[in-house]
Amino acid sequence: MTLKLKVNGALRSVPASPDTPLLYALRNDLELNSPKYGCGMAQCGACTVLIDGQAAPSCVIPCKAVGKAEITTLEGLGSQRNPSRLQQAFIAEQAAQCGYCINGMVMTAQALLNRNPKPTEAQVREALAGNLCRCGTHNRIVKAVLRAAGDAAV
Ligand code: FES
Ligand code: FES
């Protein structure tokens, strides 16, 4: 069966069943490999994407639940050549160690900045509380989000 998904501004056809988790459709069918499989149970945040601007765990959301909503993956924020302000801030703060959690951190932080462009450190930490990082780079990640939200050039 072919499904239609609106991803990163384009309508894409996906040869998947409606019950397929969105994460699998993104990675396996559309080759958007930024969202990662961590727990598969909405417990770690590695698979986070934006659905209509809100952070969502793509591992537990079936494709049929997305409907016509706009899905944004990390690839939709920016590219290696033209990273977004938030992605630039993560690079500047060297916030990634192994990098496995970083997709989820950036996407969850982007959702926060969408609704609150000037968060406090406490608000950043609260927003990212559900995103796990086994490498322990939390402090650099928080600094990166605050840097992106600041007035200074990133
Ligand atoms: S893989 Fe989706 S929350 Fe862990
Ligand atoms: S940088 Fe390795 S899990 Fe976060």
Side-chain angles (χ1 to χ4, degrees):
M1 165 162 203
T2 301
L3 303 173
K4 299 271 190 206
L5 293 174
K6 201 170 173 199
V7 185
N8 297 334
L11 198 58
R12 307 287 303 269
S13 295
V14 180
S17 92
D19 292 322
T20 301
L22 176 59
L23 177 64
Y24 298 178
L26 293 173
R27 289 183 58 88
N28 301 342
D29 298 308
L30 299 180
E31 298 182 354
L32 294 167
N33 290 313
S34 291
K36 300 288 185 284
Y37 183 95
C39 63
M41 298 188 298
Q43 299 287 309
C44 75
C47 66
T48 303
V49 298
L50 302 185
I51 298 181
D52 283 343
Q54 305 220 25
S58 63
C59 66
V60 295
I61 296 177
C63 287
K64 66 184 178 192
V66 179
K68 295 185 175 153
E70 172 72 50
I71 301 158
T72 307
T73 69
L74 190 71
E75 291 90 343
L77 294 189
S79 63
Q80 266 189 328
R81 269 198 181 173
N82 190 20
S84 72
R85 181 179 177 85
L86 180 58
Q87 288 169 323
Q88 286 178 48
F90 269 70
I91 294 165
E93 293 293 344
Q94 299 186 30
Q97 194 163 322
C98 82
Y100 204 82
C101 70
I102 294 296
N103 166 76
M105 295 292 185
V106 173
M107 299 312 284
T108 304
Q110 186 62 58
L112 169 66
L113 295 174
N114 287 348
R115 61 180 189 274
N116 178 3
K118 297 281 178 201
T120 64
E121 180 174 338
Q123 288 169 331
V124 172
R125 290 187 181 278
E126 185 184 358
L128 295 176
N131 290 75
L132 306 184
C133 173
R134 295 191 347 164
C135 298
T137 64
H138 296 87
N139 288 339
R140 287 187 180 203
I141 289 166
V142 170
K143 275 178 76 178
V145 179
L146 291 171
R147 183 182 185 118
D151 294 326
V154 170

